């Protein structure tokens, strides 16, 4: 629903009030820049007085020092003067007439579907049509002009861009448009025109310029390229992968790109590189589920190597067992030694059971 | 005669300019923004869309706003 003339007039009055305040801020700024030039001039005058004394007394070395001291000030003067010139020039701009601001609001109301006034935030807003750039659907946006900030020379806080039906970049949910991040538009080529429109109270022009940026894609300088807009960001490197290039790691339960993914050589499950570890025995890459430790020595080894008692420490024990077996056979030949051999067998089984985790039959 | 010309391309300046009597919007556009296509601009006279052969009048307010402007990051 269009706003009434009374509402538009009230908003126009508020905008004009802010622009008058802006003018006062500009006067303050011009004054501070003039003061900087004044300081520089004072130091130059002082240097000249010192130089005259040095010349009259023939102090050539001191004269050189005086000149060196003032060199930096002289070098900065052109810059300071250009700043003053700019500050004075913008002060010449008169705040727009109330009728002009009103007509601009009226125009914005006609050019866009709806001009929205959010009284609680003193925000004037228009909505764009759904925007699609390079076949990437981005949805509708609301351009919100925060009227109270108009008078504070803080252009970056004057307006925000809100995505009404956000389709953010897969890699960054704060980027709802290639040139919008955290509701801030990076104006690019439109910066000067936006600033000029705002400081002149040309509200409709402002909305149209911002809309022109929102409906244009600059592939050379986006927050997120449209080529990488959709898809799934790799949990490791952040690359936005799509389709078959997205892999799910069942160990850490995240998505990864093909470059950051491999597979477990034991269970063949797709696994990210971070969840793969090398078995110290067989040297294969295995996932965390297939990785274990030797209960004897604590060495990391895969389940296969553990089950097959491949840990070097067990092999050493096996060698010791063989030695014990030889000794047992030796003892077997000696009468009365059968009971000792049986006891030894039980002990050996117990040792193996400890290594493999299998229970020992006490019988 | 004089008109107010607001160019929202580039610096976005607004200034009064002299134009010859009988100048159409199309001619004015090609004089001010040569090598540009008028299709790429929203052109408003006194805040209203006008046909390209509209003849400018003294005191008119002409706005030219590009419909495509490149943002950045």
């Amino acid at each position: 629903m269009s706003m009434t003339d009374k509402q538009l007039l009230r908003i126009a009055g508020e905008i004009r009030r802010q622009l008058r305040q802006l003018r006062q801020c500009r006067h303050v700024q011009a004054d501070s820049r003039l003061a900087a030039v004044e300081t520089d001039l004072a130091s130059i005058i002082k240097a000249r007085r010192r130089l005259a004394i040095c010349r009259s007394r023939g102090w050539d070395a001191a004269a050189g020092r005086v000149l060196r001291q003032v060199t930096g000030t002289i070098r900065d003067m052109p810059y300071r003067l250009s700043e003053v010139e700019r500050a004075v020039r913008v002060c010449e701009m008169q705040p727009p007439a109330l009728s002009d601001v009103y007509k601009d609001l009226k125009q914005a109301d006609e050019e866009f579907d709806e001009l929205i006034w959010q009284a609680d935030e003193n925000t004037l807003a228009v909505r764009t049509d759904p925007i699609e750039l390079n076949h990437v659907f981005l949805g509708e946006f609301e351009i919100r002009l925060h009227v109270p900030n108009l008078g504070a020379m803080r252009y970056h806080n004057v307006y925000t861009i809100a995505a009404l039906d956000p389709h953010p970049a897969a890699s960054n949910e704060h980027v709802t448009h290639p040139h919008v991040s955290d509701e801030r538009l990076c104006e690019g080529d439109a910066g000067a025109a936006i600033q000029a429109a705002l400081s002149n109270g040309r509200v409709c022009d402002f909305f149209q310029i911002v809309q022109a940026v929102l409906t244009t894609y600059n592939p050379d300088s986006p927050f997120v390229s449209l080529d990488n807009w959709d898809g799934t960001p790799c949990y490791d490197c952040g690359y936005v992968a799509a389709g078959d290039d997205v892999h799910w790691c069942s160990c850490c339960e995240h998505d990864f790109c093909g470059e950051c993914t491999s597979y477990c050589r034991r269970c063949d499950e797709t696994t990210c590189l971070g969840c793969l570890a090398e078995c110290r025995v067989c040297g294969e890459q295995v996932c965390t589920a297939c990785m274990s430790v030797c209960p004897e020595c604590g060495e990391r080894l895969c389940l296969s190597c553990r089950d097959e008692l491949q840990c070097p420490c067990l092999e050493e024990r096996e060698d010791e067992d063989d030695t014990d077996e030889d000794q047992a056979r030796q003892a077997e030949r000696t009468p009365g030694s059968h009971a000792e051999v049986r006891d030894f067998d039980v002990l050996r089984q117990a040792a193996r059971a400890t290594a493999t985790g299998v229970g020992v039959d006490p019988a | 005669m004089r008109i107010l010309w607001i160019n929202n391309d580039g610096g976005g300046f607004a200034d009064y300019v002299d134009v010859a009597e009988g100048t159409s919007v199309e001619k004015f556009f090609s004089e001010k923004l040569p090598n540009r296509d008028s299709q790429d601009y929203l052109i408003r006279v006194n805040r209203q869309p006008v046909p390209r052969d509209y003849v400018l009048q003294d005191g008119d307010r002409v706005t030219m706003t590009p419909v495509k402007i490149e943002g950045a990051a």
Side-chain angles (χ1 to χ4, degrees):
Chain A
M1 192 183 78
S2 292
M3 278 191 270
T4 63
D5 285 350
K6 196 176 170 186
Q7 283 175 310
L8 290 176
L9 263 174
R10 198 170 61 238
I11 298 165
E14 177 59 22
I15 289 172
R16 188 160 185 274
R17 196 175 69 79
Q18 292 297 330
L19 292 176
R20 287 167 71 99
Q21 195 175 314
L22 176 66
R23 197 179 183 210
Q24 289 167 4
C25 288
R26 284 175 168 163
H27 287 160
V28 172
Q29 190 179 48
D31 184 53
S32 76
R33 289 184 177 169
L34 280 169
V37 172
E38 190 180 32
T39 306
D40 285 352
L41 283 174
S43 68
I44 289 170
I45 291 166
K46 194 175 171 184
R48 196 173 166 228
R49 207 166 42 235
R50 285 178 175 172
L51 186 63
I53 294 168
C54 293
R55 284 180 60 208
S56 66
R57 298 183 186 180
W59 296 344
D60 292 342
R65 266 203 306 279
V66 168
L67 287 174
R68 275 197 297 279
Q69 283 168 358
V70 84
T71 302
T73 307
I74 293 167
R75 194 179 52 228
D76 292 344
M77 281 297 277
Y79 169 74
R80 290 205 192 280
L81 287 173
S82 69
E83 289 284 291
V84 170
E85 196 260 334
R86 194 177 304 140
V88 170
R89 199 174 54 232
V90 294
C91 286
E92 290 169 1
M93 287 166 55
Q94 298 289 329
L98 182 65
S99 59
D100 284 337
V101 182
Y102 166 78
K103 284 177 193 169
D104 244 65
L105 291 173
K106 194 94 176 156
Q107 185 191 358
D109 201 23
E110 289 164 6
E111 296 267 357
F112 293 87
D113 281 347
E114 194 180 4
L115 186 64
I116 305 156
W117 175 249
Q118 292 160 340
D120 53 337
E121 294 177 357
N122 284 340
T123 301
L124 192 65
V126 296
R127 288 177 181 174
T128 68
D129 291 330
I131 292 173
E132 186 176 319
L133 298 174
N134 288 15
H135 308 292
V136 176
F137 184 77
L138 302 168
E140 295 173 40
F141 291 87
E142 195 167 270
I143 307 165
R144 296 174 179 162
L145 176 64
H146 303 279
V147 176
N149 293 346
L150 265 175
M153 294 182 73
R154 294 194 304 264
Y155 284 107
H156 292 297
N157 294 330
V158 172
Y159 71 97
T160 51
I161 310 294
L164 299 179
D165 174 23
H167 289 72
S171 57
N172 187 343
E173 63 178 351
H174 299 291
V175 177
T176 53
H177 182 283
H179 306 298
V180 176
S181 179
D182 284 319
E183 298 198 337
R184 305 284 177 207
L185 176 73
C186 191
E187 297 160 345
D189 294 344
I194 287 173
Q195 194 168 327
L198 287 174
S199 56
N200 285 312
R202 289 187 277 112
V203 176
C204 187
D205 284 356
F206 157 73
F207 284 131
Q208 285 176 333
I209 295 166
V210 172
Q211 179 172 255
V213 178
L214 290 175
T215 52
T216 308
Y217 175 51
N218 175 11
D220 295 329
S221 186
F223 283 113
V224 174
S225 166
L226 285 175
D227 294 337
N228 298 323
W229 197 261
D230 290 319
T232 307
C234 173
Y235 188 73
D236 190 357
C237 68
Y239 172 76
V240 178
D244 293 343
D245 198 30
V246 182
H247 305 277
W248 172 256
C249 174
S250 53
C251 292
C252 62
E253 301 188 331
H254 287 113
D255 287 306
F256 293 87
C257 69
E259 290 289 313
C260 298
T261 313
S262 185
Y263 69 96
C264 172
R265 276 31 172 209
R266 289 289 162 258
C267 64
D268 288 338
E269 279 289 322
T270 301
T271 312
C272 74
L273 297 181
C275 289
L276 285 175
E278 186 184 292
C279 170
R280 293 288 172 85
V281 177
C282 63
E284 297 284 16
Q285 295 287 326
V286 297
C287 69
T288 49
C290 294
M291 184 57 83
S292 182
V293 291
C294 173
E296 289 296 311
C297 64
E299 184 71 80
R300 285 171 64 82
L301 73 171
C302 69
L303 285 175
S304 298
C305 289
R306 194 195 72 175
D307 291 346
E308 290 167 12
L309 305 173
Q310 295 294 313
C311 183
C313 82
L314 291 177
E315 282 178 13
E316 286 166 15
R317 175 168 287 234
E318 189 73 27
D319 291 342
E320 286 172 17
D321 286 352
D322 289 345
T323 311
D324 292 344
E325 230 165 73
D326 290 344
Q327 287 173 350
R329 280 198 205 97
Q330 197 81 26
E332 210 170 40
R333 290 193 203 106
T334 312
S337 63
H338 289 293
E340 289 170 22
V341 171
R342 245 195 332 272
D343 290 342
F344 180 80
D345 281 342
V346 170
L347 283 171
R348 194 155 59 89
Q349 276 182 29
R352 284 200 175 191
T354 310
T356 58
V358 179
V360 182
D361 185 3
Chain B
M1 61 180 188
R2 297 189 88 196
I3 64 165
L4 174 63
W5 179 39
I6 298 167
N7 178 13
N8 285 321
D9 202 355
F13 67 86
D15 206 357
Y16 287 96
V17 292
D18 292 319
V19 292
E21 296 281 343
T23 304
S24 67
V25 172
E26 191 174 29
K27 186 162 182 271
F28 180 71
F29 178 88
S30 59
E31 280 175 7
K32 292 296 176 187
L33 299 173
N35 306 320
R36 304 287 178 91
D37 187 348
S38 61
Q39 300 293 317
D40 296 335
Y41 287 78
L42 280 175
I43 300 173
R44 299 287 182 264
V45 177
N46 301 325
R47 298 187 170 85
Q48 296 295 321
V50 290
R52 62 179 61 192
D53 59 354
Y54 171 86
V55 177
L56 294 171
Q57 308 294 313
D58 188 39
D60 274 350
R61 177 187 191 270
V62 180
T63 312
M64 295 176 184
T65 308
V67 292
K68 296 283 178 192
I69 306 176
E70 289 192 336

